[in-house]
């Protein structure tokens, strides 16, 4: 049996490189050697994930007509400070919903006013500014955008759209 040693060595080296990702030293035409190493693909970073949210009342007598909201970074997410209008003196702010959509990379926050009183308690009949502070906690970074909606005496509407990609 005749064995072609060069063909056998070339085949073994190719198989080793293909299967094991091993390193091989190759000589170039100018006599220098190059080293080739198999690379591993760069993992895709995990997308942000909303892990907690909260809303606290805040006194805000300077609430503009139509309401307002602004957001800022905090160590683990986003702080939203805002105000909306209650129908009477018993109105308070309540977190309606906080969500994150990874496909669009958009977080949404809905803040609404509700009446908080005992059945035999009387409320003033004047419109009342209702302030709030909402915290959205994320893992793996922040969303690209945050949309804040209010549902109060003026109905439900988008009050702010904050783009964190430009921040």
């Amino acid at each position: 049996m005749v064995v072609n040693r060069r063909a056998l060595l070339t085949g073994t080296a190719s198989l080793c490189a293909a299967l094991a990702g091993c390193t091989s030293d190759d000589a170039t035409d100018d006599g220098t050697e190059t080293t080739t190493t198999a690379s591993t693909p760069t993992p895709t970073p995990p997308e942000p994930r909303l892990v907690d949210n909260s809303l606290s009342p805040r006194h805000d007598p300077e609430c503009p007509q139509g309401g307002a909201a602004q957001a800022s970074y905090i160590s683990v997410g986003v702080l939203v400070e805002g105000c909306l209008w209650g129908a009477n003196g018993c109105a308070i702010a309540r977190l309606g919903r906080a969500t994150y959509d990874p496909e669009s990379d958009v977080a949404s926050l809905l803040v609404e006013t509700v009446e908080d009183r005992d059945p035999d308690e009387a409320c003033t009949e004047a419109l009342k500014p209702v302030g709030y502070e909402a915290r959205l906690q994320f893992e793996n970074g922040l969303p690209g955008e945050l949309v804040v909606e209010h549902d109060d005496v003026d109905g439900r509407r988008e009050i702010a759209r904050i783009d964190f990609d430009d921040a």
Side-chain angles (χ1 to χ4, degrees):
M1 175 174 182
V2 178
V3 176
N4 184 340
R5 187 183 311 187
R6 187 172 296 173
L8 180 61
L9 290 174
T10 303
T12 303
S14 296
L15 181 61
C16 177
L19 295 178
C22 63
T23 302
S24 65
D25 292 330
D26 298 321
T28 61
D29 289 341
D30 62 3
T32 61
E33 290 187 5
T34 60
T35 302
T36 306
T37 305
S39 65
T40 55
T42 305
T44 304
E47 59 198 22
R49 188 168 69 94
L50 181 63
V51 293
D52 196 18
N53 58 67
S54 64
L55 186 128
S56 303
R58 188 176 70 121
H59 182 67
D60 196 346
E62 301 297 318
C63 188
Q65 184 63 35
Q70 62 184 19
S72 56
Y73 293 109
I74 56 176
S75 62
V76 292
V78 179
L79 172 68
V80 180
E81 296 174 297
C83 62
L84 59 167
W85 286 88
N88 59 42
C90 293
I92 62 167
R94 178 175 74 183
L95 179 65
R97 139 181 128 285
T99 61
Y100 172 69
D101 177 25
E103 238 176 74
S104 62
D105 196 24
V106 174
S108 354
L109 173 69
L110 171 64
V111 180
E112 52 195 16
T113 57
V114 294
E115 211 173 277
D116 182 35
R117 68 180 174 124
D118 293 327
D120 53 339
E121 182 183 351
C123 297
T124 61
E125 293 301 317
L127 294 178
K128 173 187 170 188
V130 179
Y132 68 88
E133 181 179 287
R135 293 176 184 266
L136 304 178
Q137 183 178 341
F138 290 88
E139 285 183 346
N140 306 322
L142 293 175
E145 190 172 47
L146 171 66
V147 175
V148 180
E149 293 179 300
H150 285 172
D151 191 357
D152 62 6
V153 296
D154 294 325
R156 186 171 171 172
R157 71 216 173 276
E158 182 178 305
I159 200 76
R161 186 174 288 264
I162 297 107
D163 188 358
F164 290 113
D165 287 335
D166 293 338

